[in-house]
Amino acid sequence: MTKDLLKLLDLSKEDIVQILNTADQLKYDQKHRIPHDYLRGKTLAMIFEKNSTRTRVSFETGMFQLGGHALFLSGKESQIGRGEPVEDTARVLDRYCDGIMIRTFGQEEVENLARNTKIPVINGLTDFCHPCQVLADLLTIREYKAVLEGLKLCYIGDGNNMANSLIVGGLKMGMEVSIACPEGYDPDPKVLDFAKSDPSHKFSLFRTPKEAAVGADVVITDVWASMGQEEERAVRAKAFAGYQINDELMALTNEGCMVQHCLPAHRGEEITAEVFEAHAQEIFDEAENRLHAQKAVMYLLMKDKED
Ligand code: CP
Ligand code: NVA
């Protein structure tokens, strides 16, 4: 494994498989009340410069279940919010803690943090990517479908952090990935370059959701306006009209097609209430799997190396 989890582009297929297999084991242990306090006495600092429900609760609970402790640092209330350089914050947390989870805006802030500390850094979402969420998505799809390789993953909507991580994670795991987003809202060029970099990658980018959804085994969407884009909501609502997961779109997919949504969801925008409720079991299993996938990441990155 790498020292940090900064983006899925840094991981090999074997790293992802190791995380998913470890998550399966830790989930089994938790469900069967088998002690798994491998991070006894260790502390995770959690820096949040954006809002969160799932990421905060799943990291904090996960650290507790692993026998360790998590502490919450709000960007606004810590010295980070008053401009203390990230390099200094990194070198201070290094002296107290065993790992750092950070949710922020720029990917470069997370990369800079990781370069300046010896302890593992975990990306809990940036504008560029959301690796922990996509590890949970892959875990959920594998639970339902038994394999990932050869399945068709279809993403409809904004070419945002979720789209970027789904393209990379899906292709690395041998899935076919098809995306539909309006012009001007494409995934990051680095991610599109990655998709084109290997002739074995099955990747398509469409402008209409229907073209992307045909024959899909899993359909995924996300909000049209991400955190930090609140002022663009009206403009985006117009740009994304028609990029909705609804019954008509689901009719084009394979039988037993799953729906995933990282949440929070906006019913009536990127997904109808009907499709959301018909797939609520899969969507809330996905939310639960944040806990198990992140426990695997924390275990693999933060355990004593001689373990
Ligand atoms: N999906 C997700 O990351 O949720 P939160 O924003 O609530 O952490
Ligand atoms: N794309 C969304 C994901 C939220 C979990 C955002 O960045 O706000």
Side-chain angles (χ1 to χ4, degrees), residues 27 71 74 113 117 120 152 192 201 214 236 271:
K27 185 170 181 175
L71 57 94
S74 138
L113 187 67
T117 174
K152 179 168 175 178
L192 296 179
H201 287 165
V214 174
R236 284 173 165 267
I271 190 164

Side-chain angles (χ1 to χ4, degrees), residues 14 73 75 105-106 154 184 187 233 251 284:
E14 291 68 35
L73 283 162
F105 295 86
C154 163
R233 266 199 91 155
F284 290 102

Side-chain angles (χ1 to χ4, degrees), residues 88-243:
D88 292 356
T89 307
R91 287 180 290 180
V92 170
L93 294 178
D94 196 292
R95 308 290 177 115
Y96 305 138
C97 302
D98 304 283
I100 303 171
M101 193 289 303
I102 178 163
R103 166 169 284 195
T104 188
F105 295 86
Q107 178 70 15
E108 54 297 343
E109 193 182 333
V110 176
E111 306 264 351
N112 195 10
L113 187 67
R115 268 195 303 277
N116 283 282
T117 174
K118 294 185 286 300
I119 59 175
V121 173
I122 301 170
N123 183 344
L125 180 147
T126 59
D127 293 343
F128 175 64
C129 65
H130 199 357
C132 292
Q133 179 66 54
V134 169
L135 290 169
D137 295 11
L138 294 173
L139 185 66
T140 314
I141 300 164
R142 198 175 76 161
E143 279 176 356
Y144 274 81
K145 302 282 186 191
V147 290
L148 293 172
E149 199 149 14
L151 293 181
K152 179 168 175 178
L153 182 160
C154 163
Y155 175 89
I156 308 288
D158 189 17
N160 61 13
N161 42 14
M162 277 303 298
N164 289 335
S165 289
L166 283 165
I167 294 169
V168 176
L171 291 177
K172 285 202 181 219
M173 295 311 293
M175 300 174 88
E176 178 181 347
V177 179
S178 74
I179 302 280
C181 53
E183 217 168 330
Y185 296 93
D186 283 355
D188 191 279
K190 281 192 289 301
V191 168
L192 296 179
D193 285 347
F194 165 77
K196 287 183 217 135
S197 68
D198 187 332
S200 74
H201 287 165
K202 287 189 177 170
F203 176 74
S204 337
L205 173 60
F206 296 104
R207 295 294 174 220
T208 70
K210 285 184 179 169
E211 287 174 290
V214 174
D217 299 295
V218 52
V219 174
I220 310 184
T221 189
D222 185 18
V223 291
W224 292 341
S226 286
M227 290 182 277
Q229 298 172 334
E230 288 77 8
E231 283 171 13
E232 297 173 34
R233 266 199 91 155
V235 177
R236 284 173 165 267
K238 272 201 194 121
F240 288 98
Y243 286 78

Side-chain angles (χ1 to χ4, degrees), residues 51-56 103 130 133 227 262-264 290:
N51 291 31
S52 170
T53 298
R54 279 147 289 271
T55 305
R56 179 178 176 181
R103 166 169 284 195
H130 199 357
Q133 179 66 54
M227 290 182 277
C262 65
L263 304 173
R290 292 292 303 277

Side-chain angles (χ1 to χ4, degrees), residues 15-32:
D15 291 331
I16 297 174
V17 170
Q18 187 184 21
I19 293 168
L20 301 186
N21 291 347
T22 306
D24 278 344
Q25 180 62 50
L26 291 170
K27 185 170 181 175
Y28 179 90
D29 290 349
Q30 196 230 332
K31 300 283 179 202
H32 293 83

